[in-house]
Amino acid sequence: MGKTGPVVLTLSLGVFGIITTEMGVVGVLPRISEDLGVPPATAGWLVGVFALVVAVAGPFATLLASGVRRKTVLATALAVFAASNAVYALTDSFPVMLAFRIVPALFHPVFFAVALTAATRLVPPERATRAATTVFAGVTLGFAFGVPATSYLAEHLSLAAAFWFGAGANLLALLGILALFPAMPAEQRLSYGSQVRILRRPRLWLAVSAVVFVFAAMFSVYGYFAEYLERVTGLGGSTVGALLMAFGIVMVLGNLLFGRLLERDPVRTVTAFPVLCVVVYALVRVVGPWAVPMVLAVLLWGAVHSGGLVVSQTWLARDARDAPEFGNSLFISFSNLGITLGTAVGGLVVAGFGARQLPWAGAAFALAALAAVLLRRRLGPEPAGEGVPVPVAEPAALPS
């Protein structure tokens, strides 16, 4: 990528910092619960509220930022994330921490949208896909290294040290943006008003429902990853941190596998995904109390979990081909709505029935996703002229 390579890598570092901030709390929820004196289900809202804000505000925040210089938008978003991590490290008040989960969530979708657009504009057209892939490699790296590093630091140093790590990652990316990112004029985005006609399609709403249920299935269990392994399997914090890292590394391989399966047969792959989730969650439920089988189950879990991103986006994109940008905003919003729903229900299950029963919540959401996919398949292909094919992009966020 020549001279633009360091810029694109800096954008990827920014994505890494944001994902570490967003999902790093998953591995430290037990510490937050203990240190701040709140129940585990209440602490889980640090994940759910973030996702809910992204779901509700994402398209509007991105549109509002469309007239601002890209460098300013990117730098401001990273500064907000760095400052929010500093607040997490310094506060002993759960309401304050919760408030500073809301603020950066407003900037999350804006950063992702602008970073992707900027990366593809900085390189020749034939390298645009590679640039976008490089930027969003930060998502996988955030899961593979950022989340477990946060957990490790919280266990071996302090909860504050874990959040200072997140602040440092975002601050480093901010300095890179200020030093390397070129002055690029804002490019006015088209209004979503001309694209909302796709919302009249029953096919689209079935696809949207599948996205919500898939992400609810994923995060009703993953949102309490540390809670399950500590309470049910009896593992220590350092072991949980190592398993979080293994989970993220396996996600890299799983994402590649599901990408190839989607290229060969997207409909069957999408249909098979919720079935695989049910199988994995049944396995996690059965072997939960035993450490060695649970470690092996975690690896399989990570491989399947990774497919939810690309599978969901591919499925929704099929019914939004003539409005891909608006369709992508729907994916970001409703995937994060699914995360909110999943973490909320998971928290209720933990509070009411104990962590051991979490896999049943994930399996129930996966079956709901399967039902939505099968109903969408019954409607058949979209009518002629309803859309034009476009390439399926890389996942635009975790969604949050």
Side-chain angles (χ1 to χ4, degrees), residues 2-83:
K3 295 181 179 180
T4 61
V7 181
V8 176
L9 290 174
T10 298
L11 293 172
S12 183
L13 176 60
V15 170
F16 170 84
I18 286 175
I19 290 297
T20 298
T21 301
E22 179 186 5
M23 301 309 303
V25 297
V26 169
V28 299
L29 282 180
R31 304 287 85 74
I32 293 173
S33 178
E34 293 172 7
D35 290 5
L36 275 62
V38 296
T42 302
W45 275 105
L46 294 173
V47 180
V49 164
F50 191 105
L52 180 61
V53 173
V54 174
V56 174
F60 305 104
T62 303
L63 185 62
L64 287 173
S66 62
V68 182
R69 281 199 319 155
R70 281 169 167 75
K71 186 171 185 175
T72 301
V73 171
L74 294 170
T76 301
L78 290 169
V80 168
F81 270 83

